[in-house]
Amino acid sequence: HDYIRRNGVTIINGTPSTVTSGSGLLIVIGNSNSAVSAASTAQWQVIKAGCEFDAARKATKKHSSPIVCTGGEPSVTACLVNRNADIRAAVVTQNTDIKLLTSVMNPQVFCLDSSGWTFAALLRLFRTLTNVGSAPAGWRELT
């Protein structure tokens, strides 16, 4: 609290429904605060979806790349997205080698389960997908 007071930090309670400006899109099914926070930090746009069908519909309408869908059943969302011949989706786990996946399959949509992912892991994923590998000068991120 002292740091916040000394540095004039403003804390806002709640989850933003959209974050403007950014190089990627996060589609959230349900509630995933850590994913929304990580996307906000990575300057990704965030939109909400009601179910896997809604998320797939929104992912196929958006042509920005990359797109990450979180929440719901990721395999269902990926299957629904893959019905469109112009777009590819892949299910991603924490053990997935993203660089290998993108070199072999080159998916535009990455579907992941919202549980089990930490803020740091999600932020690393978003930065990897947008090729922004470095943190601000003077910061050291845990790997």
Side-chain angles (χ1 to χ4, degrees):
H1 288 98
D2 292 335
Y3 176 84
I4 292 169
R5 195 170 24 267
R6 269 195 313 266
N7 294 295
V9 175
T10 303
I11 298 176
I12 300 171
N13 188 12
T15 304
S17 60
T18 60
V19 177
T20 59
S21 167
S23 54
L25 173 66
L26 173 67
I27 300 174
V28 180
I29 302 169
N31 189 11
S32 181
N33 292 334
S34 58
V36 171
S37 294
S40 175
T41 301
Q43 297 180 339
W44 279 38
Q45 181 184 8
V46 179
I47 61 175
K48 302 255 183 197
C51 63
E52 292 88 346
F53 288 92
D54 189 29
R57 191 176 326 103
K58 289 179 179 184
T60 55
K61 286 182 182 178
K62 302 290 182 179
H63 295 289
S64 66
S65 187
I67 299 171
V68 172
C69 294
T70 183
E73 180 56 47
S75 58
V76 172
T77 306
C79 181
L80 293 168
V81 170
N82 284 330
R83 291 179 180 178
N84 184 331
D86 298 330
I87 192 164
R88 287 176 303 285
V91 177
V92 175
T93 67
Q94 292 187 44
N95 298 325
T96 302
D97 184 347
I98 299 297
K99 291 181 182 179
L100 177 63
L101 176 68
T102 54
S103 68
V104 172
M105 187 179 166
N106 196 22
Q108 293 90 4
V109 179
F110 300 84
C111 303
L112 52 104
D113 191 359
S114 60
S115 63
W117 287 83
T118 64
F119 172 84
L122 288 164
L123 183 58
R124 193 170 23 256
L125 172 69
F126 295 141
R127 287 183 174 164
T128 299
L129 293 176
T130 55
N131 296 322
V132 180
S134 61
W139 285 25
R140 289 186 352 186
E141 291 194 47
L142 299 175
T143 57

mmCIF file of all heavy atoms in Angstrom, residues 31-58:
data_model
loop_
_atom_site.group_PDB
_atom_site.id
_atom_site.type_symbol
_atom_site.label_atom_id
_atom_site.label_comp_id
_atom_site.label_asym_id
_atom_site.label_seq_id
_atom_site.Cartn_x
_atom_site.Cartn_y
_atom_site.Cartn_z
ATOM 1 N N ASN A 31 -15.248 -17.090 -17.446
ATOM 2 C CA ASN A 31 -14.446 -16.188 -16.634
ATOM 3 C C ASN A 31 -13.010 -16.691 -16.580
ATOM 4 O O ASN A 31 -12.763 -17.800 -16.145
ATOM 5 C CB ASN A 31 -15.039 -16.096 -15.228
ATOM 6 C CG ASN A 31 -14.383 -15.026 -14.400
ATOM 7 O OD1 ASN A 31 -13.623 -14.214 -14.903
ATOM 8 N ND2 ASN A 31 -14.687 -15.019 -13.124
ATOM 9 N N SER A 32 -12.084 -15.885 -17.015
ATOM 10 C CA SER A 32 -10.663 -16.223 -16.965
ATOM 11 C C SER A 32 -9.879 -14.941 -16.694
ATOM 12 O O SER A 32 -9.330 -14.322 -17.600
ATOM 13 C CB SER A 32 -10.210 -16.874 -18.275
ATOM 14 O OG SER A 32 -8.858 -17.216 -18.197
ATOM 15 N N ASN A 33 -9.852 -14.558 -15.422
ATOM 16 C CA ASN A 33 -9.214 -13.299 -15.044
ATOM 17 C C ASN A 33 -7.735 -13.258 -15.378
ATOM 18 O O ASN A 33 -7.219 -12.231 -15.805
ATOM 19 C CB ASN A 33 -9.424 -13.020 -13.556
ATOM 20 C CG ASN A 33 -10.870 -12.714 -13.241
ATOM 21 O OD1 ASN A 33 -11.614 -12.249 -14.104
ATOM 22 N ND2 ASN A 33 -11.289 -12.987 -12.015
ATOM 23 N N SER A 34 -7.020 -14.378 -15.178
ATOM 24 C CA SER A 34 -5.583 -14.376 -15.458
ATOM 25 C C SER A 34 -5.323 -14.192 -16.948
ATOM 26 O O SER A 34 -4.386 -13.491 -17.336
ATOM 27 C CB SER A 34 -4.918 -15.645 -14.929
ATOM 28 O OG SER A 34 -5.506 -16.786 -15.506
ATOM 29 N N ALA A 35 -6.145 -14.795 -17.804
ATOM 30 C CA ALA A 35 -5.974 -14.628 -19.251
ATOM 31 C C ALA A 35 -6.269 -13.196 -19.670
ATOM 32 O O ALA A 35 -5.547 -12.619 -20.489
ATOM 33 C CB ALA A 35 -6.868 -15.608 -20.005
ATOM 34 N N VAL A 36 -7.307 -12.598 -19.118
ATOM 35 C CA VAL A 36 -7.653 -11.213 -19.448
ATOM 36 C C VAL A 36 -6.549 -10.270 -18.983
ATOM 37 O O VAL A 36 -6.147 -9.363 -19.713
ATOM 38 C CB VAL A 36 -9.022 -10.823 -18.838
ATOM 39 C CG1 VAL A 36 -9.292 -9.336 -18.993
ATOM 40 C CG2 VAL A 36 -10.133 -11.639 -19.478
ATOM 41 N N SER A 37 -6.012 -10.502 -17.798
ATOM 42 C CA SER A 37 -4.920 -9.660 -17.289
ATOM 43 C C SER A 37 -3.672 -9.792 -18.144
ATOM 44 O O SER A 37 -3.022 -8.797 -18.468
ATOM 45 C CB SER A 37 -4.591 -10.034 -15.844
ATOM 46 O OG SER A 37 -5.651 -9.721 -14.997
ATOM 47 N N ALA A 38 -3.328 -11.032 -18.511
ATOM 48 C CA ALA A 38 -2.144 -11.251 -19.345
ATOM 49 C C ALA A 38 -2.330 -10.634 -20.724
ATOM 50 O O ALA A 38 -1.405 -10.028 -21.273
ATOM 51 C CB ALA A 38 -1.854 -12.743 -19.458
ATOM 52 N N ALA A 39 -3.517 -10.760 -21.294
ATOM 53 C CA ALA A 39 -3.794 -10.166 -22.599
ATOM 54 C C ALA A 39 -3.715 -8.649 -22.532
ATOM 55 O O ALA A 39 -3.183 -8.000 -23.434
ATOM 56 C CB ALA A 39 -5.161 -10.607 -23.108
ATOM 57 N N SER A 40 -4.231 -8.086 -21.461
ATOM 58 C CA SER A 40 -4.168 -6.642 -21.268
ATOM 59 C C SER A 40 -2.716 -6.179 -21.177
ATOM 60 O O SER A 40 -2.338 -5.176 -21.781
ATOM 61 C CB SER A 40 -4.942 -6.255 -20.015
ATOM 62 O OG SER A 40 -4.809 -4.891 -19.751
ATOM 63 N N THR A 41 -1.914 -6.911 -20.443
ATOM 64 C CA THR A 41 -0.498 -6.575 -20.304
ATOM 65 C C THR A 41 0.220 -6.673 -21.644
ATOM 66 O O THR A 41 1.078 -5.852 -21.956
ATOM 67 C CB THR A 41 0.172 -7.503 -19.275
ATOM 68 O OG1 THR A 41 -0.504 -7.355 -18.024
ATOM 69 C CG2 THR A 41 1.639 -7.174 -19.103
ATOM 70 N N ALA A 42 -0.150 -7.665 -22.455
ATOM 71 C CA ALA A 42 0.455 -7.848 -23.772
ATOM 72 C C ALA A 42 -0.166 -6.940 -24.832
ATOM 73 O O ALA A 42 0.205 -7.005 -25.991
ATOM 74 C CB ALA A 42 0.321 -9.308 -24.205
ATOM 75 N N GLN A 43 -1.121 -6.112 -24.432
ATOM 76 C CA GLN A 43 -1.831 -5.168 -25.296
ATOM 77 C C GLN A 43 -2.617 -5.882 -26.396
ATOM 78 O O GLN A 43 -2.632 -5.464 -27.547
ATOM 79 C CB GLN A 43 -0.875 -4.142 -25.881
ATOM 80 C CG GLN A 43 -0.241 -3.280 -24.829
ATOM 81 C CD GLN A 43 0.700 -2.253 -25.401
ATOM 82 O OE1 GLN A 43 1.190 -2.396 -26.517
ATOM 83 N NE2 GLN A 43 0.972 -1.226 -24.625
ATOM 84 N N TRP A 44 -3.261 -6.967 -26.019
ATOM 85 C CA TRP A 44 -4.147 -7.695 -26.929
ATOM 86 C C TRP A 44 -5.562 -7.196 -26.731
ATOM 87 O O TRP A 44 -5.935 -6.753 -25.648
ATOM 88 C CB TRP A 44 -4.093 -9.184 -26.628
ATOM 89 C CG TRP A 44 -2.922 -9.899 -27.210
ATOM 90 C CD1 TRP A 44 -1.642 -9.447 -27.320
ATOM 91 C CD2 TRP A 44 -2.929 -11.217 -27.742
ATOM 92 N NE1 TRP A 44 -0.859 -10.397 -27.882
ATOM 93 C CE2 TRP A 44 -1.617 -11.500 -28.155
ATOM 94 C CE3 TRP A 44 -3.918 -12.179 -27.897
ATOM 95 C CZ2 TRP A 44 -1.270 -12.715 -28.736
ATOM 96 C CZ3 TRP A 44 -3.571 -13.399 -28.470
ATOM 97 C CH2 TRP A 44 -2.253 -13.653 -28.889
ATOM 98 N N GLN A 45 -6.375 -7.339 -27.754
ATOM 99 C CA GLN A 45 -7.792 -7.026 -27.653
ATOM 100 C C GLN A 45 -8.479 -8.216 -26.984
ATOM 101 O O GLN A 45 -8.112 -9.371 -27.227
ATOM 102 C CB GLN A 45 -8.385 -6.796 -29.047
ATOM 103 C CG GLN A 45 -9.852 -6.452 -29.021
ATOM 104 C CD GLN A 45 -10.450 -6.333 -30.411
ATOM 105 O OE1 GLN A 45 -9.811 -6.651 -31.405
ATOM 106 N NE2 GLN A 45 -11.678 -5.891 -30.463
ATOM 107 N N VAL A 46 -9.477 -7.963 -26.157
ATOM 108 C CA VAL A 46 -10.203 -9.014 -25.449
ATOM 109 C C VAL A 46 -11.685 -8.891 -25.773
ATOM 110 O O VAL A 46 -12.248 -7.793 -25.677
ATOM 111 C CB VAL A 46 -10.012 -8.908 -23.915
ATOM 112 C CG1 VAL A 46 -10.797 -9.983 -23.191
ATOM 113 C CG2 VAL A 46 -8.540 -8.974 -23.547
ATOM 114 N N ILE A 47 -12.301 -10.007 -26.180
ATOM 115 C CA ILE A 47 -13.749 -10.033 -26.368
ATOM 116 C C ILE A 47 -14.308 -11.268 -25.670
ATOM 117 O O ILE A 47 -13.615 -12.256 -25.488
ATOM 118 C CB ILE A 47 -14.165 -10.005 -27.868
ATOM 119 C CG1 ILE A 47 -13.618 -11.204 -28.619
ATOM 120 C CG2 ILE A 47 -13.765 -8.711 -28.516
ATOM 121 C CD1 ILE A 47 -14.103 -11.287 -30.059
ATOM 122 N N LYS A 48 -15.555 -11.173 -25.269
ATOM 123 C CA LYS A 48 -16.227 -12.266 -24.560
ATOM 124 C C LYS A 48 -17.050 -13.086 -25.532
ATOM 125 O O LYS A 48 -17.557 -12.576 -26.532
ATOM 126 C CB LYS A 48 -17.137 -11.706 -23.475
ATOM 127 C CG LYS A 48 -16.413 -10.846 -22.459
ATOM 128 C CD LYS A 48 -16.243 -11.575 -21.193
ATOM 129 C CE LYS A 48 -15.572 -10.635 -20.177
ATOM 130 N NZ LYS A 48 -15.026 -11.372 -19.091
ATOM 131 N N ALA A 49 -17.191 -14.378 -25.210
ATOM 132 C CA ALA A 49 -18.034 -15.282 -25.992
ATOM 133 C C ALA A 49 -18.893 -16.071 -25.016
ATOM 134 O O ALA A 49 -18.467 -16.365 -23.893
ATOM 135 C CB ALA A 49 -17.187 -16.219 -26.831
ATOM 136 N N GLY A 50 -20.085 -16.436 -25.451
ATOM 137 C CA GLY A 50 -21.016 -17.150 -24.587
ATOM 138 C C GLY A 50 -20.752 -18.648 -24.497
ATOM 139 O O GLY A 50 -21.016 -19.276 -23.485
ATOM 140 N N CYS A 51 -20.239 -19.239 -25.581
ATOM 141 C CA CYS A 51 -19.997 -20.684 -25.619
ATOM 142 C C CYS A 51 -18.970 -20.965 -26.708
ATOM 143 O O CYS A 51 -18.486 -20.044 -27.372
ATOM 144 C CB CYS A 51 -21.294 -21.434 -25.889
ATOM 145 S SG CYS A 51 -22.019 -21.054 -27.507
ATOM 146 N N GLU A 52 -18.664 -22.252 -26.902
ATOM 147 C CA GLU A 52 -17.681 -22.637 -27.908
ATOM 148 C C GLU A 52 -18.130 -22.243 -29.321
ATOM 149 O O GLU A 52 -17.322 -21.805 -30.137
ATOM 150 C CB GLU A 52 -17.407 -24.148 -27.853
ATOM 151 C CG GLU A 52 -16.689 -24.601 -26.600
ATOM 152 C CD GLU A 52 -17.612 -24.937 -25.439
ATOM 153 O OE1 GLU A 52 -18.811 -24.584 -25.492
ATOM 154 O OE2 GLU A 52 -17.145 -25.561 -24.474
ATOM 155 N N PHE A 53 -19.425 -22.386 -29.611
ATOM 156 C CA PHE A 53 -19.943 -22.018 -30.927
ATOM 157 C C PHE A 53 -19.776 -20.516 -31.172
ATOM 158 O O PHE A 53 -19.400 -20.090 -32.263
ATOM 159 C CB PHE A 53 -21.423 -22.419 -31.058
ATOM 160 C CG PHE A 53 -21.621 -23.900 -31.178
ATOM 161 C CD1 PHE A 53 -21.843 -24.674 -30.043
ATOM 162 C CD2 PHE A 53 -21.592 -24.526 -32.420
ATOM 163 C CE1 PHE A 53 -22.028 -26.038 -30.144
ATOM 164 C CE2 PHE A 53 -21.780 -25.890 -32.528
ATOM 165 C CZ PHE A 53 -21.988 -26.664 -31.390
ATOM 166 N N ASP A 54 -20.066 -19.705 -30.160
ATOM 167 C CA ASP A 54 -19.917 -18.262 -30.259
ATOM 168 C C ASP A 54 -18.448 -17.884 -30.440
ATOM 169 O O ASP A 54 -18.111 -17.023 -31.257
ATOM 170 C CB ASP A 54 -20.510 -17.601 -29.012
ATOM 171 C CG ASP A 54 -20.594 -16.084 -29.116
ATOM 172 O OD1 ASP A 54 -20.729 -15.574 -30.242
ATOM 173 O OD2 ASP A 54 -20.530 -15.422 -28.056
ATOM 174 N N ALA A 55 -17.557 -18.536 -29.695
ATOM 175 C CA ALA A 55 -16.124 -18.259 -29.811
ATOM 176 C C ALA A 55 -15.614 -18.608 -31.205
ATOM 177 O O ALA A 55 -14.851 -17.848 -31.810
ATOM 178 C CB ALA A 55 -15.350 -19.038 -28.753
ATOM 179 N N ALA A 56 -16.047 -19.757 -31.739
ATOM 180 C CA ALA A 56 -15.627 -20.167 -33.084
ATOM 181 C C ALA A 56 -16.138 -19.188 -34.129
ATOM 182 O O ALA A 56 -15.411 -18.825 -35.065
ATOM 183 C CB ALA A 56 -16.121 -21.579 -33.377
ATOM 184 N N ARG A 57 -17.369 -18.745 -33.976
ATOM 185 C CA ARG A 57 -17.947 -17.775 -34.911
ATOM 186 C C ARG A 57 -17.156 -16.467 -34.878
ATOM 187 O O ARG A 57 -16.832 -15.900 -35.924
ATOM 188 C CB ARG A 57 -19.412 -17.530 -34.555
ATOM 189 C CG ARG A 57 -20.192 -16.749 -35.584
ATOM 190 C CD ARG A 57 -21.683 -16.606 -35.261
ATOM 191 N NE ARG A 57 -22.297 -17.744 -34.572
ATOM 192 C CZ ARG A 57 -22.596 -17.781 -33.264
ATOM 193 N NH1 ARG A 57 -22.370 -16.735 -32.510
ATOM 194 N NH2 ARG A 57 -23.155 -18.844 -32.719
ATOM 195 N N LYS A 58 -16.823 -16.000 -33.689
ATOM 196 C CA LYS A 58 -16.074 -14.749 -33.571
ATOM 197 C C LYS A 58 -14.649 -14.912 -34.096
ATOM 198 O O LYS A 58 -14.106 -13.986 -34.706
ATOM 199 C CB LYS A 58 -16.066 -14.280 -32.117
ATOM 200 C CG LYS A 58 -17.428 -13.778 -31.678
ATOM 201 C CD LYS A 58 -17.438 -13.337 -30.233
ATOM 202 C CE LYS A 58 -18.837 -12.829 -29.882
ATOM 203 N NZ LYS A 58 -18.950 -12.284 -28.553
#
